[in-house]
Amino acid sequence: RTALEAAADAPSLEDYVDAMGWMNPFYAPLRKALDDPRYSATEKQVITANLERVRAIPAIPEGKHILVDAAGARLWMYDGDKVVDTMKVVVGSQKLGETPMMAGWIRWAIENPYWEVPNDITQKELAPHVLKGGVGYLKAHGYEVLADWSSDSPVLDPKAVDWQAVHDGQRQVHVRQLPGGENFMGKVKFEFPNPQGIYLHDTPAKHLMKEDARQLSHGCIRMEDAAKMHRWLMGRPIPTDAAPEEKVPLDKPVPIYVTYLTAFPAGAGEIVFRDDPYGRDGDIRLAAAD
């Protein structure tokens, strides 16, 4: 739809123009705040930086869509312009891997998933544990070792692997964590194919949701209530008898937008300024501190 068509369908053309209805709903209050004397010059620079981020989010699409804010570590579930629900999330840390701004389509759920451990985590985190405590560490935490990442890769005896070479980056093995138990993916994950390999997933580490700063993961997005998300997207509860890595398509792909808002519209013209955990406002905030 064009902006003119949307304006023609709006109940009030004046309200549509005032709210900049052709943009995402976050845009108009941020844009108006640039003329508000209660905000300092530095705050307006932060607002301007956030306007650029909001421009990348479409105006409200029809149907279901998901918005994730990595700066605030929060997710919203929308149906059209209505917020259906919201939840806390854990997103990437600056040290382990930031969650990038991106857009995509959730096309399927993977129920009872494996955790396919990325090579860098195997090298930097799992291999040191094995070298320190032996291969029993892998069995105790539900890991199995495969020769490579091919679909028919054989399972290896972890005792036959040179874990020092893995730790030193001289050899790679494919490690995965079996479904159930303490599996890092929890009971379900939702993929939206992207080059960075980012996805939404459940987590057994619910205590992390109590943290105020939830930039704690390697980049993927851990959900506070994956069961709620599954019911909303799939129309049914997470099954208790799913086969390992059960891939179930959605009836219709659902858009997802991942952004980073350090200035957030809170209603009544108020803008809430948040921490900048990834340092993306760094030049602005450092200049203000000088």
Side-chain angles (χ1 to χ4, degrees):
R1 300 178 69 194
T2 68
L4 288 176
E5 289 172 332
D9 292 341
S12 166
L13 179 58
E14 182 179 357
D15 290 345
Y16 180 81
V17 172
D18 182 66
M20 303 180 191
W22 58 94
M23 301 293 288
N24 184 273
F26 291 153
Y27 186 86
L30 288 172
R31 179 65 184 83
K32 291 173 183 177
L34 294 178
D35 297 322
D36 193 323
R38 81 180 98 169
Y39 301 115
S40 70
T42 299
E43 288 173 331
K44 289 179 180 180
Q45 286 183 284
V46 174
I47 290 170
T48 298
N50 281 269
L51 277 170
E52 292 300 316
R53 296 164 191 159
V54 171
R55 281 194 186 100
I57 309 171
I60 296 297
E62 296 180 358
K64 294 179 178 179
H65 64 281
I66 296 167
L67 179 68
V68 178
D69 171 27
R74 181 160 286 275
L75 175 153
W76 292 268
M77 300 147 63
Y78 283 89
D79 194 344
D81 62 353
K82 306 298 184 186
V83 176
V84 174
D85 218 324
T86 183
M87 68 179 73
K88 297 176 181 178
V89 292
V90 169
V91 294
S93 73
Q94 197 171 32
K95 179 180 179 181
L96 298 175
E98 298 177 5
T99 299
M101 292 184 288
M102 62 171 64
W105 296 85
I106 296 177
R107 300 181 182 276
W108 53 76
I110 298 179
E111 299 165 348
N112 204 22
Y114 291 102
W115 179 37
E116 309 287 353
V117 184
N119 289 331
D120 62 327
I121 296 179
T122 297
Q123 177 188 354
K124 297 175 183 178
E125 299 183 24
L126 293 188
H129 281 297
V130 175
L131 291 172
K132 182 179 180 180
V135 296
Y137 173 86
L138 298 172
K139 183 176 181 180
H141 295 278
Y143 293 105
E144 64 180 8
V145 183
L146 295 90
D148 54 47
W149 287 78
S150 62
S151 59
D152 57 351
S153 178
V155 176
L156 301 178
D157 180 349
K159 294 179 182 178
V161 174
D162 184 345
W163 289 100
Q164 187 64 55
V166 174
H167 178 267
D168 295 341
Q170 297 170 355
R171 182 185 176 184
Q172 289 187 347
V173 289
H174 175 194
V175 177
R176 68 182 180 185
Q177 193 177 33
L178 299 173
E182 62 182 70
N183 180 284
F184 272 33
M185 298 292 101
K187 297 178 180 179
V188 66
K189 66 178 179 179
F190 300 97
E191 294 187 341
F192 47 105
N194 59 83
Q196 294 88 349
I198 303 297
Y199 44 83
L200 299 174
H201 67 87
D202 188 15
T203 176
K206 301 298 185 185
H207 64 282
L208 297 179
M209 299 299 169
K210 298 178 182 178
E211 300 291 333
D212 292 330
R214 295 186 297 279
Q215 289 76 27
L216 302 166
S217 80
H218 290 81
C220 284
I221 302 162
R222 307 180 192 181
M223 295 176 286
E224 179 182 23
D225 194 341
K228 180 186 293 181
M229 178 66 75
H230 189 280
R231 286 193 301 272
W232 185 64
L233 289 176
M234 310 299 293
R236 57 177 175 79
I238 301 173
T240 58
D241 58 351
E245 201 76 5
E246 184 78 21
K247 186 174 181 179
V248 184
L250 275 66
D251 291 338
K252 182 180 179 181
V254 171
I256 179 169
Y257 309 101
V258 183
T259 189
Y260 182 84
L261 300 177
T262 55
F264 187 83
E270 182 184 1
I271 303 299
V272 174
F273 294 91
R274 296 170 167 166
D275 290 339
D276 178 21
Y278 297 163
R280 294 176 183 171
D281 299 338
D283 292 343
I284 296 169
R285 299 194 184 209
L286 286 173
D290 289 343

